[in-house]
Amino acid sequence: MKKLKLMAMAIAAVAIAPAVMAQTPELQRGERLEKLQFPAATMELKGWTKFGNGKVYTLPVKAGQHVKIDFSTKSQFAFLAIFDLAAPDDEAIFGTDEDGQTFQTTVKQDATWLLRPYYSKASPRRGLGAPYSILVEPQAASAAPATPAPAPADDSKPSPLFPSRK
């Protein structure tokens, strides 16, 4: 009986481990993790990034949520990358170095995002790093424009698809 329980626990641990590991980010040397909750109102995160030293944030998101994330900094060498921790690859879903300062989306499936502000290693090594600000704004569900009802047929105008018979 004990062997059966141990076997069941081992199988459960093996089944759960990949999901847990996918949600735990691999931190770079000097980074500190701060776990966030999806905000009900605008949330501002302020910090300082320097060559991998600084905070990184995890943000759980649910399918259907609308979110806007703005990154601002005075440095031309500080950026923000957003990763989906459930994705099998290490590619960012958004990066301010290529995609602009604002990420706005409707979440397609439940996930945990990693928000990683960083100071570019390709930058000239002057200065101590860069301050940044991240605004996380939940967005109201935008009312999708309703498809207008077709206008009633006007018999006085000929149809462009079907020429009138004479």
Side-chain angles (χ1 to χ4, degrees):
M1 187 70 166
K2 277 188 175 182
K3 286 182 182 180
L4 187 58
K5 278 186 179 180
L6 287 174
M7 180 80 88
M9 287 175 35
I11 291 171
V14 169
I16 294 172
V20 171
M21 287 177 20
Q23 298 297 317
T24 304
E26 188 173 314
L27 299 181
Q28 297 174 1
R29 189 171 158 209
E31 287 183 331
R32 295 175 314 280
L33 180 65
E34 184 174 321
K35 295 180 179 184
L36 306 173
Q37 295 299 320
F38 193 81
T42 300
M43 171 174 51
E44 184 175 21
L45 309 168
K46 289 187 173 214
W48 186 274
T49 184
K50 176 188 173 187
F51 313 126
N53 292 321
K55 288 183 183 177
V56 294
Y57 309 91
T58 56
L59 178 67
V61 292
K62 302 247 183 243
Q65 288 178 319
H66 305 283
V67 63
K68 178 179 172 186
I69 298 176
D70 283 311
F71 179 75
S72 62
T73 182
K74 292 182 180 180
S75 172
Q76 62 182 346
F77 303 111
F79 303 99
L80 173 68
I82 301 174
F83 299 89
D84 182 350
L85 294 179
D89 58 1
D90 289 337
E91 189 152 331
I93 59 173
F94 175 81
T96 58
D97 57 339
E98 294 179 1
D99 302 321
Q101 301 300 104
T102 302
F103 177 58
Q104 188 166 357
T105 190
T106 300
V107 181
K108 292 180 179 36
Q109 62 186 18
D110 292 0
T112 299
W113 291 347
L114 176 70
L115 285 68
R116 176 173 273 147
Y118 66 95
Y119 195 73
S120 173
K121 292 182 179 180
S123 67
R125 299 292 190 211
R126 296 188 184 125
L128 299 173
Y132 64 84
S133 174
I134 302 170
L135 288 177
V136 180
E137 301 177 63
Q139 302 286 296
S142 59
T147 306
D154 186 359
D155 293 332
S156 65
K157 293 182 185 176
S159 169
L161 297 175
F162 304 104
S164 60
R165 295 185 182 177
K166 294 189 181 185

